[in-house]
């Protein structure tokens, strides 16, 4: 059973960098079986797909975020990390990591993902 757990600061100030970690258990993040995705859900809105990283470390990003977003891997800790630069209040959301067995871009249907973390609330406010 694969388990995902997001962690990070609950509150970030505008213009700062948001860093989140997804700790994976039950599978190696270097496996070719899963692709590791980040999604978010702003208050009162639907899910937004942010980006994905493969077991080999290749990453793809949403066009709307690619200038600010970076997804990487820490294989020693079996973690997938997200960094979002220059955050604004519009980045306030619950952030999720999710594992998919297929390479998919931009998909927000929950059924497309095999495993989800419980999500972590991030608020951007001064």
């Amino acid at each position: 059973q694969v388990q995902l757990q997001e962690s990070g600061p609950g509150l970030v100030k505008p213009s700062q960098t948001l860093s989140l970690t997804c700790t994976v258990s039950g599978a190696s993040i270097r496996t070719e079986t899963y692709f590791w995705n980040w999604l978010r859900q702003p208050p009162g809105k639907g899910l937004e797909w942010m980006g994905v990283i493969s077991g080999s470390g290749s990453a793809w990003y949403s066009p709307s975020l690619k200038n600010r977003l970076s997804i990487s891997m820490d294989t020693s800790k079996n973690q997938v990390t997200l960094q979002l630069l220059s955050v604004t209040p519009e980045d306030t959301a619950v952030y999720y990591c999710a594992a998919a067995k297929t390479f998919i871009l931009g998909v927000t249907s929950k059924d497309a993902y095999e495993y989800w973390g419980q999500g972590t609330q991030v608020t951007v406010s001064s």
Side-chain angles (χ1 to χ4, degrees), residues 29-41:
I29 60 173
R30 299 186 67 178
T31 180
E32 295 182 356
T33 302
Y34 297 107
F35 294 88
W36 312 101
N37 294 259
W38 283 98
L39 300 94
R40 66 182 180 180
Q41 187 165 21

Side-chain angles (χ1 to χ4, degrees), residues 5-46:
Q5 178 66 60
E6 304 92 345
S7 59
L11 179 65
V12 184
K13 293 183 178 180
S15 81
Q16 292 186 337
T17 295
L18 169 65
S19 295
L20 296 176
T21 297
C22 176
T23 301
V24 179
S25 60
S28 170
I29 60 173
R30 299 186 67 178
T31 180
E32 295 182 356
T33 302
Y34 297 107
F35 294 88
W36 312 101
N37 294 259
W38 283 98
L39 300 94
R40 66 182 180 180
Q41 187 165 21
K45 297 183 179 180

Side-chain angles (χ1 to χ4, degrees), residues 12-123:
V12 184
K13 293 183 178 180
S15 81
Q16 292 186 337
T17 295
L18 169 65
S19 295
L20 296 176
T21 297
C22 176
T23 301
V24 179
S25 60
S28 170
I29 60 173
R30 299 186 67 178
T31 180
E32 295 182 356
T33 302
Y34 297 107
F35 294 88
W36 312 101
N37 294 259
W38 283 98
L39 300 94
R40 66 182 180 180
Q41 187 165 21
K45 297 183 179 180
L47 279 170
E48 176 187 13
W49 180 84
M50 302 180 70
V52 61
I53 190 166
S54 69
S56 64
S58 297
W60 293 263
Y61 304 111
S62 167
S64 65
L65 295 171
K66 65 177 182 178
N67 291 332
R68 299 196 292 134
L69 179 63
S70 176
I71 299 175
S72 60
M73 309 170 78
D74 185 337
T75 55
S76 66
K77 298 179 180 178
N78 216 43
Q79 293 175 335
V80 178
T81 61
L82 173 152
Q83 284 200 326
L84 187 62
L85 306 177
S86 304
V87 297
T88 71
E90 285 67 40
D91 294 310
T92 294
V94 178
Y95 285 74
Y96 298 93
C97 58
K101 279 194 170 182
T102 56
F103 176 66
I104 49 177
L105 298 176
V107 176
T108 57
S109 170
K110 291 188 176 182
D111 292 342
Y113 300 91
E114 296 290 321
Y115 301 101
W116 288 81
Q118 65 183 21
T120 186
Q121 172 70 49
V122 174
T123 300

